[in-house]
Amino acid sequence: MTCGGGGTRTRVEKIALFIDAENLHLSAKALGFDLDYRKVLEKFRSRRDCLARHLLHSK
């Protein structure tokens, strides 16, 4: 994405975060980690360059 006017263009990087909760949970469990998913999402929620934040899970 580019921004700017008057002949000045600045590149702005944006990210979208999609977390596969089931695989993350199984990986963390296998490695002996205890994850707080709310804290993980909150960490990215405060970033201005993050367009979307989604925690995906199966039913």
Side-chain angles (χ1 to χ4, degrees), residues 24-35:
L24 182 59
H25 171 75
L26 292 174
S27 297
K29 185 176 177 182
L31 295 170
F33 294 153
D34 185 28
L35 289 176

Side-chain angles (χ1 to χ4, degrees), residues 14-43:
K14 297 286 184 179
I15 63 170
L17 176 67
F18 297 89
I19 298 174
D20 180 344
E22 185 174 3
N23 282 326
L24 182 59
H25 171 75
L26 292 174
S27 297
K29 185 176 177 182
L31 295 170
F33 294 153
D34 185 28
L35 289 176
D36 185 336
Y37 298 99
R38 286 188 180 134
K39 284 185 180 180
V40 172
L41 285 174
E42 187 59 40
K43 181 71 174 175

Side-chain angles (χ1 to χ4, degrees), residues 1 8-10 17 24 26-27 42-43 47 49 55:
M1 175 185 289
T8 304
R9 299 184 71 80
T10 305
L17 176 67
L24 182 59
L26 292 174
S27 297
E42 187 59 40
K43 181 71 174 175
R47 292 180 58 145
D49 61 345
L55 184 64

